[in-house]
Amino acid sequence: MLSPQDRSAAGVNVLGKPKDIAGARACDWTVPATFGVTVTFDEKHGLADLDVAKKNATKTTVGRHPGLKVADKKAADGTCAVLLGVGDRNSVQIDVSNTGFSDTPLACRRAGTVAGLVEPKLP
């Protein structure tokens, strides 16, 4: 889902590894000593079906897809996710974790960058 140009734009200089997360297809990239990003394609759950702590979620739109940005600012744990709805029954989740689990705003910028690269490829 991330071309070499996309990975470069997102600061990812490694190849991704396919994963299965609760039955959903995913790809995981880990940039040593920097951050990791996972993109998950859920073909069974739309945005409204995802279990998200409302206090940590902010509505957003990426391109033409509705979404949520999820980060616990009080925890300041260097993690952030952007969830995108793809119709009523599908979603894409972009999760970023910074090494050292610090700088949540940076994690959100990284998640937003990757979401912006993935979104145009979605139906």
Side-chain angles (χ1 to χ4, degrees), residues 7 12 14-21 25-30 37-39:
R7 289 194 312 270
V12 176
V14 295
L15 294 176
K17 295 181 182 178
K19 293 175 82 171
D20 180 282
I21 298 176
R25 294 177 297 143
C27 193
D28 184 63
W29 294 265
T30 302
V37 61
T38 303
V39 177

Side-chain angles (χ1 to χ4, degrees), residues 10-77:
V12 176
N13 59 4
V14 295
L15 294 176
K17 295 181 182 178
K19 293 175 82 171
D20 180 282
I21 298 176
R25 294 177 297 143
C27 193
D28 184 63
W29 294 265
T30 302
V31 181
T34 308
F35 74 104
V37 61
T38 303
V39 177
T40 306
F41 303 93
D42 191 332
E43 297 173 309
K44 296 179 183 172
H45 301 95
L47 194 59
D49 301 322
L50 300 176
D51 185 19
V52 176
K54 302 258 187 256
K55 68 178 182 171
N56 297 331
T58 305
K59 287 185 179 183
T60 189
T61 301
V62 178
R64 62 192 194 321
H65 290 85
L68 296 171
K69 180 172 76 171
V70 182
D72 187 342
K73 292 176 184 160
K74 287 184 182 178
D77 59 3

Side-chain angles (χ1 to χ4, degrees), residues 56-122:
N56 297 331
T58 305
K59 287 185 179 183
T60 189
T61 301
V62 178
R64 62 192 194 321
H65 290 85
L68 296 171
K69 180 172 76 171
V70 182
D72 187 342
K73 292 176 184 160
K74 287 184 182 178
D77 59 3
T79 64
C80 188
V82 174
L83 316 175
L84 300 176
V86 184
D88 292 336
R89 300 236 177 229
N90 299 286
S91 59
V92 174
Q93 182 168 327
I94 296 98
D95 292 287
V96 170
S97 297
N98 288 332
T99 301
F101 296 101
S102 62
D103 200 346
T104 299
L106 176 60
C108 286
R109 286 193 301 276
R110 287 175 167 155
T113 296
V114 174
L117 295 167
V118 168
E119 187 277 336
K121 299 171 185 169
L122 301 175

